[in-house]
Amino acid sequence: YPGFAYVDANTITFQRAMSATVASESMNAGAAFLSTRTVCSLVVPGKSIGAYGSVRVNVSRGGDTSANFKQVKTFLSGANMNTWSLAAFPWGFGSLTFCNNGTENSQVAILAVDGGSGSASSQQAVDTTADQTLSVSMVVQAAGQFAILENTWAEITRIG
């Protein structure tokens, strides 16, 4: 459209060819969208991990340089396996990994970022003998922020 213009984070203006300028209007009532949103998902087939196997989700991500966190999260059928939070330096590559903990219905998860490791692990109880949905989600914490998922892929290693 001619006259397309960015006004602010929530507002654009433009002209329709056959009428007067369309007034600017907030796309989302002026409220920042701060909810966790699933970016991609896949089904992990039942029994594909094994009692000691692992699932690693590799992520190349970015975002704005504000001080507020931009997060990437992995979920296995709704259970939060990992959360990767970055603030002022949001660009990076990391692996969000979980492994079955000696049985196919108990997992431990850890985050490894650019050769380092996370500060804590999480534990979940998801039955991996059945098909489960693995998803990657993102969330920002304040208006004006953005987060980018540049590339992601999953690797399943079956052991046991």
Side-chain angles (χ1 to χ4, degrees), residues 104-145:
E104 290 184 290
N105 61 3
S106 175
Q107 296 80 35
V108 63
I110 192 84
L111 170 67
V113 179
D114 291 327
S117 62
S119 60
S121 63
S122 65
Q123 295 184 345
Q124 298 293 348
V126 178
D127 180 10
T128 60
T129 63
D131 291 358
Q132 302 293 345
T133 300
L134 175 66
S135 60
V136 176
S137 299
M138 300 183 82
V139 65
V140 296
Q141 295 182 332
Q145 286 187 278

Side-chain angles (χ1 to χ4, degrees), residues 20-139:
T21 299
V22 176
S24 65
E25 182 177 325
S26 176
M27 304 274 233
N28 58 2
F33 185 80
L34 305 175
S35 299
T36 300
R37 182 60 63 201
T38 298
V39 178
C40 57
S41 63
L42 62 88
V43 173
V44 177
K47 298 189 177 281
S48 65
I49 302 173
Y52 297 94
S54 64
V55 175
R56 176 172 42 194
V57 177
N58 298 291
V59 175
S60 176
R61 54 82 58 94
D64 67 90
T65 56
S66 67
N68 296 310
F69 286 117
K70 289 142 291 281
Q71 297 178 325
V72 176
K73 301 178 178 192
T74 56
F75 293 88
L76 186 62
S77 290
N80 186 357
M81 304 304 286
N82 301 89
T83 298
W84 178 16
S85 298
L86 284 177
F89 301 102
W91 300 94
F93 180 83
S95 298
L96 296 89
T97 304
F98 69 88
C99 60
N100 280 345
N101 198 16
T103 178
E104 290 184 290
N105 61 3
S106 175
Q107 296 80 35
V108 63
I110 192 84
L111 170 67
V113 179
D114 291 327
S117 62
S119 60
S121 63
S122 65
Q123 295 184 345
Q124 298 293 348
V126 178
D127 180 10
T128 60
T129 63
D131 291 358
Q132 302 293 345
T133 300
L134 175 66
S135 60
V136 176
S137 299
M138 300 183 82
V139 65

